[in-house]
Amino acid sequence: MSIPLLTTVVVIYLTVIAILSLQAWKKTRTAADYLVAGRQIHPFVMALSYGATFVSTSAIIGFGGAAAVFGMSLQWLTFLTVFVGVFIAFVFFGRRTRVMGLNLNAHTFPEFLGLRFESTRLQGATGLLIFLAMPLYASVVLMGGAKFIAQILAINYNVALFFLTIFVAVYVIMGGLKAVMYTDAFQGSMMFIGMVSLLVATYSKLGGFITAHQRLTDMQDLAIKIFGAKGHTGWTNFPQFGSEYWLVVVTTIVLGVGIGVLAQPQLIVRFMTVKSNRELNRAVLIGGIFVLIVVGVSLAIGALANVYFYYENPDTTGQIALIAAGKNVSEIIPLYISSSMPQWFTAVFMITLLSAAMSTLSSQFHAMGTALGRDIYEKALNRSGNSVILTKIGILFAILISYFLAWALPTFFEGGTAIIARGTAIFFGICAAAFLPMYFGALYYRNMTRLSAWACFFTGTLTSLFWLFFVHAKESKPLMVCNALFGVDSLGEGTLWAVVDPLVIALPASALVTILFNLKQTKDCSVRHIERCFHNIN
Amino acid sequence: MLGLEGILVPLGMILTLLSTVLCIIYGLLNWNKGYMTDEEFCQEQQWNEEEKHVEEQL
């Protein structure tokens, strides 16, 4: 592809980002501006920022690639991300979070929990878990973005990694959450345009909506021949119940991401950035359409890429998508774009993917920085100082750690790339198990005790870590701890337990423990405090 | 149905579309509902004042 054309497109894109960041920087004066965007964000900006943060480059390429293998059954993930990730999240979690956050003057998710349960230690512990677990997730996005830039612009990976990090770092540190959300909204718009174009182009190329599906359905025998032993029953059918593929689709992809989205600190904080519930109501409409397109299209296109490579592309005739991409799942979508779309579209899609990477990264850097600066240093350790400056220092630390992981893990450790590739699933799983029951209880159960919040936190975190290190083979194998201690890659080796995602074990465990610890009705928060928390919540 | 096989995949697709319709209808029906109350406005002003005070002290 023409390098001058690409460079021009990238320069225009970066200029718009720079202008938006400058605007945000000028409007950022107080800690509330820096941490919760002054609680004045427009619903359009909020909804697009939420969606763009949730969907990263790795998600578009990773989900799309996974759909090329598992097929249309992954559309259940689109259903959960729209229904749970937008409707349930905004209506049943978001509205209460906003009101309670304002009642308590919370600026971050850990601070929200800490103030609700009157425990700065809980705030510190929550912040610490975010600060420790999120760099791995951020490094996935950094690596994905940098690899993509390196490939498209034909430059060295380390150079791309360095400049991507620096650019995002500058605008996040300068403009705080306002800069993050303004740029997210622009980047979200780019993602939306790119995905709609891809949807229209793909279906028209393959003969229309139903014809394209039917052609994929007609490849059923081929799918069963290649993947049938693992439970595949065709790209437009659900995998065989209880099979290895069924467990991966249902537990890791559909539930892991679809439920995990409810307990993401970088998403929850967005509920506290709007002025009133009216903005959240409006954001439901915008967010629902955005997530449908961005998640749904990447999954549909991934599965349909099999039809394109098998029948339409002369260079790969008779090859399914996975084979055409050299058995590299993450290469399927880029290869599909570069081989099936015109040059101008490749440029549009490059901006789509760059936007997806930068919008997620900026939010991750901000969430990690606030966890370190605000929640751990300022609140849990009770050190005084200017909140904005402390948070800026926190963000800088978080960026350095994420950059170091993205650079060093694949370079120095065997299996480093495999660990990073699991970063998103690891972070989603830990957050859901450690935070979701506590977060739900904080919003809906007035008598929930501080002890039960701690029990939820520890049970969720420890169960997740045990499953990650010793049972779920996708992580336990590259982590190598299980092998060093027991001589096997997974304690569940040879059984289906090794493919069961940590979330479906750790979340029920932490929910059960939270309930059990609440059975003993010891009230550790005063009636006055509870009234203050639930003021204006009915 | 829709060129897809079995029940679960078409069901997933239909539920996806219905969820989006639900989001659209909910958003439209509540488009002007839930605007900031005077009490919330005062609350926010109070927090801003407190924050200014803390920053001045620092």
Side-chain angles (χ1 to χ4, degrees), chain B residues 3-31:
Chain B
L4 306 166
E5 269 198 312
I7 298 166
L8 285 173
V9 172
L11 181 67
M13 212 164 237
I14 290 166
L15 286 173
T16 305
L17 295 174
L18 287 178
S19 304
T20 312
V21 171
L22 178 69
C23 289
I24 294 169
I25 291 172
Y26 181 88
L28 290 175
L29 288 178
N30 295 286
W31 192 258

Side-chain angles (χ1 to χ4, degrees), chain A residues 229-275:
Chain A
K230 292 182 176 177
H232 210 304
T233 58
W235 280 292
T236 59
N237 207 352
F238 219 80
Q240 196 179 358
F241 179 75
S243 65
E244 185 183 329
Y245 271 20
W246 186 91
L247 285 168
V248 174
V249 167
V250 175
T251 70
T252 301
I253 302 175
V254 176
L255 294 178
V257 180
I259 301 294
V261 64
L262 283 175
Q264 293 294 299
Q266 74 280 18
L267 299 181
I268 292 167
V269 75
R270 272 152 181 73
F271 299 139
M272 298 192 270
T273 62
V274 291
K275 195 190 283 185

